[in-house]
Amino acid sequence: MKPFAYERATTVDDALALAADGGVFLAGGTNLVDHLRLGIREADRLVDISRLPLDEVTERDDGGLVIGAGVRNSDLAAHPLVRTRYPFVTQALVAGASGQLRNMATTGGNLLQRTRCVYFQDLTTPCNKREPGAGCSALEGFGRYNALLGTSEHCVAVHPSDLCVPLAALDAEVVVAGPAGERRIPFGELHRLPGDRPDLDTTLEPGELVLAVELPPLAMAVRSRYRKVRERASYAFALVSVAAALDVEDGVVRDVRLALGGVSHRPHRARAAEDALRGRPATEAELRAAIEAELEAARPGPHNAFKVPLVRNTVVDTLARLAEGSAA
């Protein structure tokens, strides 16, 4: 590991100033420290932001929530307002990591997780995300975890976060501060597709710090569920995951929110499926037709074609259970 300086920020302004000349923010460190050890990332200075006053969950006047970027995953998962109003957020957090990791990992850090593609983490192999222009080993190599949607010839990696999938379904907003001041980013605009710059995961500007995530009030999120399909029952990254909320009246879908994980370079909001379902009967045939509309854009490789029926079946089963009134 390359030697680095360590500074502890006492205020947001202090953190921004310390990071102005190339410093890297350190919160829980569950992703960053691994990458420093592996040599995937280097830093001249780590700016510790773990003591900043960003560790509270507060309720807005409209019933939404403001989640500080420093809120630990364990605390967020256990928060009574999160558990009752947005159960799929709690379910995603619990599915995402062991208790020890949840005690360290933060909300802001979850947003900024980097891919767990095996080639990204292997310095002996070419990877455009790690070294732009080097090539993408995953195109012809081990591709079981590769993306289905929004891929490019430069990268087929997937976004690893569980928490980000329900946040995408909720149309959350991300509050950030940087050298140019404070701004708000719609969640769907935070993460990038790979295009020809897969090394750029997000639309954050250099030196910007995530301050909070805001969840809007959404009554139907009370009936929501997060489903994660993985290769082993213990903590593993998703082959496919689904975050869904459903509002059904007299057997007809009034509204639906649907997002997918494990299928794209960013958390994938399934808007085509949502549009196909609204106003339609909540039958298995309609649910299946809706997700088929979403999967028309899928471009599987030779080793991950199994993900297409896996997405289809997981979405249909999740929505059918919600339509029956069961979030268990």
Side-chain angles (χ1 to χ4, degrees):
M1 183 186 296
K2 177 183 174 181
F4 53 81
Y6 171 85
E7 303 277 359
R8 177 175 289 168
T10 57
T11 66
V12 170
D13 287 342
D14 185 31
L16 296 177
L18 289 170
D21 58 351
V24 177
F25 297 123
L26 172 70
T30 56
N31 196 191
L32 174 61
V33 172
D34 283 347
H35 288 174
L36 291 172
R37 287 172 172 166
L38 289 170
I40 295 172
R41 183 154 189 192
E42 294 182 348
D44 294 323
R45 174 188 292 149
L46 293 188
V47 180
D48 187 342
I49 58 172
S50 63
R51 305 297 176 88
L52 298 185
L54 303 174
D55 58 351
E56 297 290 334
V57 178
T58 56
E59 184 178 10
R60 300 192 318 201
D61 291 341
D62 64 0
L65 298 182
V66 180
I67 303 167
V71 174
R72 304 289 176 173
N73 285 5
S74 291
D75 294 332
L76 185 59
H79 196 283
L81 293 180
V82 176
R83 292 177 63 185
T84 56
R85 297 182 187 177
Y86 310 96
F88 61 172
V89 172
T90 289
Q91 293 162 6
L93 287 164
V94 172
S98 66
Q100 294 94 328
L101 283 174
R102 294 199 303 272
N103 287 339
M104 289 296 296
T106 63
T107 299
N110 260 259
L111 271 57
L112 304 180
Q113 284 189 75
R114 306 211 70 193
T115 185
R116 284 349 190 253
C117 176
V118 294
Y119 300 105
F120 173 71
Q121 300 198 109
D122 182 355
L123 293 177
T124 68
T125 61
C127 172
N128 287 322
K129 179 173 281 294
R130 191 181 65 245
E131 184 181 352
C136 177
S137 299
L139 288 172
E140 302 296 334
F142 178 76
R144 188 170 177 80
Y145 282 84
N146 288 357
L148 298 173
L149 299 160
T151 60
S152 77
E153 62 181 333
H154 303 283
C155 185
V156 289
V158 299
H159 193 271
S161 170
D162 289 281
L163 173 60
C164 285
V165 185
L167 295 184
L170 283 168
D171 283 332
E173 279 197 320
V174 182
V175 183
V176 304
E182 189 172 303
R183 68 186 180 112
R184 306 172 71 87
I185 307 171
F187 197 83
E189 298 176 12
L190 177 65
H191 299 98
R192 299 178 67 258
L193 290 177
D196 59 359
R197 289 298 307 273
D199 55 307
L200 300 178
D201 292 336
T202 73
T203 58
L204 292 178
E205 298 293 337
E208 283 192 319
L209 172 66
V210 177
L211 301 180
V213 177
E214 296 197 4
L215 306 187
L218 185 67
M220 70 173 175
V222 173
R223 180 179 289 183
S224 64
R225 190 174 186 194
Y226 182 74
R227 295 281 299 278
K228 180 177 182 179
V229 182
R230 46 193 165 187
E231 290 189 312
R232 63 178 190 269
S234 59
Y235 296 105
F237 293 98
L239 288 169
V240 166
S241 64
V242 175
L246 191 65
D247 180 8
V248 175
E249 185 175 16
D250 297 328
V252 175
V253 177
R254 294 202 308 178
D255 200 4
V256 58
R257 297 291 183 89
L258 185 63
L260 308 175
V263 301
S264 180
H265 195 257
R266 64 185 181 192
H268 180 78
R269 179 68 177 275
R271 294 190 183 275
E274 291 178 353
D275 292 343
L277 273 178
R278 290 189 183 99
R280 303 295 299 173
T283 63
E284 181 175 340
E286 293 286 352
L287 299 178
R288 192 168 295 276
I291 192 57
E292 289 290 359
E294 191 70 42
L295 290 171
E296 286 180 1
R299 298 293 181 268
H303 303 295
N304 69 337
F306 73 95
K307 279 191 175 187
V308 175
L310 186 59
V311 170
R312 181 190 307 120
N313 294 337
T314 305
V315 168
V316 170
D317 183 68
T318 302
L319 291 175
R321 288 172 182 264
L322 288 172
E324 294 168 0
S326 170

